[in-house]
Amino acid sequence: MNNTIEKGKTAAITSYILGIGVFIAMSMNSEDKNTFASFHIRQGLGITLTFISLGLIISNFDSLLISAPMWIFVSVLWSYGIFSAIKGETKPMPLLGALFQKWFSSIS
């Protein structure tokens, strides 16, 4: 188990670089499928898509009272995910993590 975590840690951490990091991590994990890296790739993909979706919706409003909570929400989830990867844990993010695992279960 520890060997799996160590081998997949770089890809897991890379997956949290919003936007391109998920695709880099997917290519890093394409040869030897690592379950630890796959878990964090699904979490990273979920947070990236959440960020883009909320950003598209909230960009229609020109209000700091609406955009600030989105930034805080995404930042908290991102921090939780990346620190979980650094510590070698596979705990889903609060609120959405379990859904990300279910929705992106085909990504391994």
Side-chain angles (χ1 to χ4, degrees), residues 38-57:
S38 295
F39 174 86
H40 286 286
I41 289 169
R42 290 189 289 272
Q43 297 286 292
L45 177 60
I47 190 71
T48 299
L49 293 176
T50 300
F51 174 71
I52 292 168
S53 303
L54 288 175
L56 288 172
I57 294 166

Side-chain angles (χ1 to χ4, degrees), residues 52-93:
I52 292 168
S53 303
L54 288 175
L56 288 172
I57 294 166
I58 290 175
S59 67
N60 295 317
F61 305 97
D62 191 22
S63 170
L64 188 61
L65 290 174
I66 296 173
S67 60
M70 183 220 48
W71 282 99
I72 292 168
F73 177 69
V74 169
S75 297
V76 167
L77 290 183
W78 178 84
S79 299
Y80 188 91
I82 197 161
F83 285 119
S84 173
I86 290 168
K87 290 195 291 186
E89 299 172 344
T90 54
K91 291 193 294 191
M93 293 177 192

Side-chain angles (χ1 to χ4, degrees), residues 17-53:
I17 300 170
L18 288 180
I20 194 83
V22 172
F23 300 109
I24 294 170
M26 288 171 110
S27 70
M28 291 168 71
N29 199 39
S30 63
E31 292 274 322
D32 298 326
K33 300 289 186 202
N34 183 294
T35 55
F36 178 75
S38 295
F39 174 86
H40 286 286
I41 289 169
R42 290 189 289 272
Q43 297 286 292
L45 177 60
I47 190 71
T48 299
L49 293 176
T50 300
F51 174 71
I52 292 168
S53 303

